[in-house]
Amino acid sequence: MNWHPHITVATIVEDNGRFLMVEESKGGRAVLNQPAGHLDPNETLIEAAVRETLEETGWDVEPTSVTGIYLYTAPSNGVTYQRVCFAAKALKHHPEYQLDDGILGAKWLTRDELLAQREHWRSELIIRCIDDYLAGHCHSLALIRPSL
């Protein structure tokens, strides 16, 4: 059996109780997710989180901590994802930035607003990451070690 987990990053950006979310088209419907995506070759996890956030939201961010590392198998396709979730602060918005294909736009939503839209979540990892962030799970970026 060939099993190849996918390494992904996600970023939690919070401002006054609202979280930066991405609305994207997936499987013909609009879904919500944190800014997230796959690690590219020759890229660090932190670089990937910064890049994905910019590409999907038009926001420059500065990662401040690691919220958690998650293993998730998507029920829709059986693919296993290892997600490294970062917390970051928003630095600058670029409203003219051309967002990635399939991205409908960025939204700032509260946790309650997200809960009201559960049927639009890309995965259950959305609320788990936010709840871990709100619970104070805040690990040093030094946890992420560069390659040799």
Side-chain angles (χ1 to χ4, degrees), residues 77-99:
N77 60 14
V79 173
T80 299
Y81 299 90
Q82 181 181 11
R83 173 188 266 204
V84 180
C85 185
F86 295 90
K89 65 179 179 180
L91 298 177
K92 182 178 181 185
H93 187 227
H94 303 276
E96 74 290 346
Y97 193 88
Q98 179 65 47
L99 304 180

Side-chain angles (χ1 to χ4, degrees), residues 61-126:
V61 297
E62 179 184 336
T64 56
S65 64
V66 177
T67 302
I69 300 171
Y70 305 85
L71 200 58
Y72 175 76
T73 300
S76 61
N77 60 14
V79 173
T80 299
Y81 299 90
Q82 181 181 11
R83 173 188 266 204
V84 180
C85 185
F86 295 90
K89 65 179 179 180
L91 298 177
K92 182 178 181 185
H93 187 227
H94 303 276
E96 74 290 346
Y97 193 88
Q98 179 65 47
L99 304 180
D100 277 354
D101 287 343
I103 302 297
L104 304 174
K107 293 182 167 188
W108 290 92
L109 300 170
T110 65
R111 184 182 186 280
D112 287 343
E113 290 169 333
L114 279 167
L115 286 175
Q117 298 183 54
R118 186 179 208 115
E119 70 276 6
H120 295 289
W121 294 355
R122 180 151 180 187
S123 81
E124 293 291 324
L125 282 177
I126 290 171

Side-chain angles (χ1 to χ4, degrees), residues 21 25 28 31-32 35 46-47 53 56 60 66 90-91 93 97-98 100 111 121 124 136 138 142 145 147:
M21 303 299 294
S25 180
V31 296
L32 293 168
I46 294 170
E47 290 168 345
T53 303
E56 294 188 350
D60 288 327
V66 177
L91 298 177
H93 187 227
Y97 193 88
Q98 179 65 47
D100 277 354
R111 184 182 186 280
W121 294 355
E124 293 291 324
C138 178
R145 308 299 294 165
S147 61

